[in-house]
Amino acid sequence: MKKAIIYYFSGTGNTWWVSKELKKQLVLNDWEVNCFSIECIQDEDILNQITDVNHIVFGFPVYGSTAPIPMLNFIHSFPKANNNQTISIFGTQALASGDTAYFIGKHLIKKGYKLKQTIHFKMMNNLHLPRFRFYAPKNDDRVISLHRKNLPIIKQLALNITHNKKNIRGKYSLGILIGIFQRSHINKLITTASKGFSVDSSRCVNCDKCVNICPTKNIIKSKNTYVFDSNCALCLRCYSQCPTYAILIGKKSANIKKFPRYKGPQDGFNVNLLIKAKK
Ligand SMILES: Cc1cc2nc3c(=O)[nH]c(=O)nc-3n(C[C@H](O)[C@H](O)[C@H](O)COP(=O)(O)O)c2cc1C
């Protein structure tokens, strides 16, 4: 039986959902599959995990035509290919992905991996802030409808992996141009937006959920409130998952009708799935 492994980072659940469905489809095609949130593994475990694996999949949300900082760090420290492994890269995005998956794939080609698939999935948007309005996230049937549209694409991806078929998407002139343009702005967006975090103490119930779920340990309890350090990846997990909408990014985001929080794929999603084995 061939073995595959899926490593993913997900801020608010979309990439978790695609990873879960891809695992299902690969299993139906007789693969033995392990699927890990990168927050649940230690760097030193990776070498063992991939030693006898035939295919490795990397998944993450598209942030301005690149990957989130935790995924970039993961890929940076990922071991070199040791066994002729093939790889696939997928991104989840709200509107425009440019050449993201291919751009990330190139880093792994340099490590000796054979890039076979790059693909992007349109999912619900999670980024809609007073200073960076995209389109407001919906927490209704539109999420399910996007899932329905993605299922046949995921099925095809699993078939392509199974038949070792090459399918590189996003590597065309316009995609590359969108990519170059977006990548030149994304760091500024993240730095500026992450300076706008605050806690509305009239809403906060001091539950510590934000501290526990932050992937970069950027939130620190201080007296009866929380303060934000400078390692924010802008994954929006704390902002979306705060049970009382107490985390603000810009004062105007206190208005939850204008700035609704994305609650993630409804299909079995629980934020603890992303951090379960975290130390
Ligand atoms: C900081 C940030 C940047 C984003 N940039 C883009 C983008 O360039 N293009 C796009 O279509 N969606 C963009 N999005 C939307 C997310 O990629 C999309 O909602 C994704 O599916 C979220 O995945 P997750 O739930 O696994 O975190 C961005 C979201 C964030 C938080």
Side-chain angles (χ1 to χ4, degrees):
M1 193 182 249
K2 281 195 168 184
K3 288 186 182 176
I5 194 158
I6 304 173
Y7 290 115
Y8 71 88
F9 174 79
S10 182
T12 58
N14 288 346
T15 312
W16 164 83
W17 183 86
V18 175
S19 303
K20 160 180 88 81
E21 293 301 322
L22 179 60
K23 176 177 176 177
K24 263 193 218 164
Q25 288 301 325
L26 286 170
V27 168
L28 287 173
N29 282 284
D30 288 330
W31 287 81
E32 186 184 317
V33 188
N34 275 311
C35 181
F36 297 106
S37 158
I38 59 168
E39 293 169 63
C40 297
I41 49 174
Q42 306 294 316
D43 278 359
E44 56 272 23
D45 297 337
I46 298 173
L47 210 50
N48 272 343
Q49 288 171 352
I50 64 170
T51 301
D52 60 345
V53 158
N54 307 93
H55 191 82
I56 308 171
V57 181
F58 300 83
F60 50 83
V62 170
Y63 289 1
S65 291
T66 185
I69 292 156
M71 195 68 190
L72 290 175
N73 291 341
F74 181 78
I75 284 171
H76 183 72
S77 58
F78 203 76
K80 288 185 178 156
N82 62 1
N83 190 15
N84 258 338
Q85 288 111 333
T86 52
I87 58 167
S88 299
I89 320 274
F90 76 84
T92 66
Q93 42 114 0
L95 206 63
S97 46
D99 60 345
T100 311
Y102 178 65
F103 173 75
I104 296 298
K106 283 191 289 190
H107 294 281
L108 289 152
I109 291 173
K110 282 191 197 141
K111 289 183 185 261
Y113 293 97
K114 295 189 172 72
L115 182 62
K116 288 288 181 174
Q117 315 283 324
T118 59
I119 190 163
H120 305 108
F121 295 94
K122 186 173 188 313
M123 298 287 281
M124 182 51 72
N125 180 37
N126 64 356
L127 176 71
H128 181 67
L129 306 173
R131 288 191 61 189
F132 305 99
R133 294 178 197 218
F134 211 173
Y135 65 86
K138 312 289 183 306
N139 291 296
D140 57 18
D141 284 356
R142 277 165 280 195
V143 175
I144 306 295
S145 157
L146 285 167
H147 290 177
R148 247 185 247 123
K149 285 185 190 148
N150 278 317
L151 281 174
I153 309 173
I154 296 173
K155 200 168 177 178
Q156 188 59 51
L157 174 60
L159 281 174
N160 287 348
I161 293 173
T162 304
H163 299 305
N164 204 19
K165 201 172 144 193
K166 194 165 178 171
N167 189 14
I168 304 295
R169 304 258 190 100
K171 189 187 162 191
Y172 60 100
S173 315
L174 184 61
I176 293 171
L177 276 178
I178 294 173
I180 292 170
F181 175 77
Q182 290 201 322
R183 281 190 288 279
S184 64
H185 287 80
I186 187 62
N187 286 344
K188 187 154 187 254
L189 186 155
I190 293 177
T191 314
T192 311
S194 56
K195 283 184 186 150
F197 276 78
S198 64
V199 173
D200 179 341
S201 48
S202 69
R203 292 181 180 177
C204 180
V205 290
N206 273 283
C207 68
D208 291 354
K209 183 172 183 181
C210 55
V211 173
N212 294 329
I213 64 177
C214 175
T216 60
K217 299 188 169 62
N218 197 50
I219 307 176
I220 300 145
K221 193 165 189 159
S222 165
K223 299 185 184 135
N224 274 340
T225 187
Y226 301 94
V227 292
F228 300 86
D229 207 346
S230 55
N231 306 311
C232 177
L234 202 65
C235 73
L236 303 181
R237 191 184 292 163
C238 59
Y239 178 71
S240 306
Q241 289 287 325
C242 174
T244 57
Y245 304 95
I247 294 187
L248 309 182
I249 309 178
K251 298 287 175 219
K252 287 185 182 159
S253 66
N255 183 338
I256 58 170
K257 276 210 175 118
K258 256 192 178 166
F259 297 101
R261 287 20 172 196
Y262 177 50
K263 292 293 168 191
Q266 293 140 55
D267 183 9
F269 177 63
N270 173 336
V271 71
N272 293 324
L273 292 165
L274 308 177
I275 55 163
K276 230 173 16 197
K278 209 172 173 183
K279 288 197 173 156

